[in-house]
Amino acid sequence: MSAGKYRKEHNCLNCGSHVESHYCSNCGQPNLELKESFWGFISHSIAHYFHFDNKFFQTLTPLLTKPGQVTLDYLAGKRARYINPVSMYIFVSIVYFLVAYSPEHSTNNDEHIDTKTRVQQKATLDTVNSKLEKAGILGKAPGIANKVKAEIKEDLDRSTFKTLGFKEQAIVLVDLKKQQKANKSDSLEKVIKRFSTIHNDRNDSTYDAYLSRQNTLPLIERDNWFKRMATKRSISIGQKSEVIQETLEHNRPKQYFLLMPLLALFIMWNFRKNHIYYLDHLIFTIHGMTAYFIVSIFTKPFMKYIFGEDSIISNLIGLAIIVWICWYMFNALKIFYQRKKVIGKMIMIFILYAIAFKLTEMLMLNLIYYVAT
């Protein structure tokens, strides 16, 4: 690495100690001249960058290809070639969460939904009319053509009905029932049945609607106070599911970070006969989580932005990641703890971590719910 021009004086500018050579033996600062040329400043900065870059790749390659070996070397004192485990974890985890967890904000277009629906309905009916005319069905069989158009219009009206609020749906149903009672129309009765099904499905979509339905029931059939509170919470989470999910994903880094010492504790319990310090288990865990984040940095963008999260290829990539995690964990445990039979302990560690992950996620959801409401 380029050092620049060294000072002739032997006093350290940082701590004041005597400098025998080019570096202070007390604080480690190089004894360089303060004034340097522009190109000297640039070359010195680049040298520092590539020094870090070199150490990063010296750590990255064995971390991914030789599970457990980096931890063994680091604890054995071979640290000059590797980046500090915590420093590398912080850097990689920041990149990972920027790539993997970028929630998409959906815009609310409720104000334009009626206009949009009407335009779609008109365009669909116009298309049907033109195609029926071209096929010559309008003139030859007007009854069939009218039936087809009526069914299409009913489907479109049904989609419009779904966009209405609970109270608006109830008003529409009352009006349709009045019309059906006056006209005795069989077709209108079918429409009422279909609309009633949609309305009933949405019956408890709001807490007010739930209370309204409860008030229509006999007193003995109504839910008790505890059930009502549980239902209110469930409905509120459903209504705010997007905000709650987005907040949850935003707090994933904290969850992973807080669970890491717990994962190290699970590993220590399973390998307590090795009689090593908890800190050693923690460094092993940090290296393993860092390796997982690095692999995810390269795979998540393909799954999320290129192939789509629900595509077959993304599912195959997800399966490959699970296989890689099992392979990595098996080899890391075997090499670091010098054990041949680790499958049972590995499965136990996965189970304990999955339980801890689920419990902390439920806790986070409850905290987010109470803050959001």
Side-chain angles (χ1 to χ4, degrees):
M1 185 177 72
S2 177
K5 188 177 180 182
Y6 290 104
R7 297 171 64 240
K8 295 180 180 179
E9 295 81 1
H10 294 281
N11 63 309
C12 177
L13 295 175
N14 183 53
C15 66
S17 300
H18 182 74
V19 181
E20 292 290 345
S21 184
H22 296 314
Y23 294 89
C24 176
S25 59
N26 186 47
C27 67
Q29 176 172 289
N31 192 26
L32 297 172
E33 291 283 357
L34 295 179
K35 294 181 180 180
E36 57 183 338
S37 66
F38 172 77
W39 292 111
F41 170 75
I42 295 298
S43 62
H44 197 201
S45 300
I46 291 174
H48 270 291
Y49 170 79
F50 281 107
H51 178 67
F52 171 82
D53 185 69
N54 187 41
K55 288 187 71 174
F56 180 82
F57 286 104
Q58 280 183 346
T59 308
L60 177 66
T61 303
L63 187 66
L64 295 177
T65 59
K66 299 177 180 179
Q69 189 60 48
V70 174
T71 312
L72 280 177
D73 290 345
Y74 185 84
L75 294 176
K78 302 175 183 178
R79 303 182 178 185
R81 72 185 76 170
Y82 300 128
I83 297 178
N84 179 275
V86 176
S87 300
M88 188 167 187
Y89 171 81
I90 292 172
F91 172 74
V92 171
S93 63
I94 289 172
V95 177
Y96 168 74
F97 287 107
L98 286 174
V99 171
Y101 293 107
S102 53
E104 298 178 1
H105 299 275
S106 60
T107 56
N108 190 357
N109 295 320
D110 291 342
E111 297 177 359
H112 308 286
I113 196 165
D114 292 337
T115 305
K116 184 179 178 181
T117 303
R118 290 194 198 99
V119 170
Q120 288 176 343
Q121 287 182 353
K122 187 177 183 303
T124 303
L125 288 173
D126 289 344
T127 303
V128 171
N129 278 329
S130 63
K131 289 190 176 181
L132 289 174
E133 286 178 1
K134 287 181 181 179
I137 297 176
L138 280 176
K140 295 178 182 178
I144 296 174
N146 290 332
K147 185 179 180 181
V148 171
K149 290 196 292 182
E151 288 177 353
I152 293 172
K153 189 175 186 305
E154 184 183 327
D155 288 338
L156 293 172
D157 288 339
R158 195 187 314 173
S159 66
T160 304
F161 183 77
K162 288 180 180 179
T163 64
L164 298 176
F166 182 80
K167 293 181 179 178
E168 288 81 2
Q169 287 182 352
I171 293 170
V172 170
L173 281 172
V174 169
D175 185 58
L176 288 174
K177 287 176 181 177
K178 287 180 180 178
Q179 293 181 35
Q180 196 275 335
K181 190 174 182 180
N183 301 326
K184 304 294 182 182
S185 172
D186 293 336
S187 60
L188 196 56
E189 186 177 355
K190 292 179 181 179
V191 172
I192 291 172
K193 286 182 178 179
R194 290 171 180 173
F195 281 14
S196 295
T197 302
I198 297 171
H199 182 65
N200 291 334
D201 289 341
R202 196 171 180 177
N203 192 40
D204 292 342
S205 61
T206 65
Y207 187 60
D208 289 338
Y210 166 76
L211 291 178
S212 177
R213 183 175 66 83
Q214 284 289 306
N215 292 332
T216 62
L217 298 174
L219 190 61
I220 194 172
E221 295 181 13
R222 296 179 187 178
D223 294 336
N224 56 34
W225 174 84
F226 181 79
K227 178 65 176 175
R228 289 192 178 201
M229 290 299 100
T231 303
K232 180 180 180 181
R233 180 179 177 278
S234 177
I235 292 172
S236 298
I237 288 178
Q239 290 173 333
K240 298 178 180 291
S241 60
E242 185 178 344
V243 175
I244 291 174
Q245 187 64 31
E246 183 176 324
T247 309
L248 179 64
E249 297 304 330
H250 180 73
N251 286 279
R252 286 291 187 198
K254 299 175 184 176
Q255 183 185 15
Y256 278 108
F257 185 78
L258 292 174
L259 281 177
M260 197 160 50
L262 195 59
L263 177 58
L265 186 63
F266 295 153
I267 295 174
M268 186 179 73
W269 286 344
N270 281 275
F271 291 93
R272 55 188 176 273
K273 291 183 179 180
N274 282 65
H275 302 293
I276 60 178
Y277 293 110
Y278 171 77
L279 182 60
D280 297 348
H281 297 288
L282 184 59
I283 294 172
F284 172 79
T285 305
I286 292 172
H287 279 143
M289 290 297 294
T290 304
Y292 167 72
F293 288 156
I294 292 171
V295 170
S296 297
I297 286 170
F298 292 102
T299 55
K300 286 282 185 180
F302 288 96
M303 297 169 65
K304 190 171 184 179
Y305 304 111
I306 298 177
F307 301 114
E309 292 180 337
D310 297 325
S311 66
I312 296 175
I313 297 178
S314 293
N315 290 331
L316 291 174
I317 294 174
L319 180 61
I321 292 174
I322 293 173
V323 172
W324 177 84
I325 291 172
C326 294
W327 169 83
Y328 190 92
M329 190 71 168
F330 173 78
N331 285 280
L333 293 173
K334 189 171 64 172
I335 292 172
F336 182 72
Y337 293 101
Q338 301 295 308
R339 299 284 193 92
K340 293 182 178 180
K341 298 179 180 180
V342 297
I343 294 179
K345 296 182 182 297
M346 182 180 73
I347 293 173
M348 180 58 66
I349 292 168
F350 282 151
I351 292 172
L352 291 172
Y353 186 78
I355 293 172
F357 188 89
K358 195 64 180 177
L359 289 174
T360 52
E361 186 175 74
M362 290 172 61
L363 179 62
M364 289 170 63
L365 280 172
N366 280 280
L367 290 173
I368 294 167
Y369 165 74
Y370 285 116
V371 170
T373 56

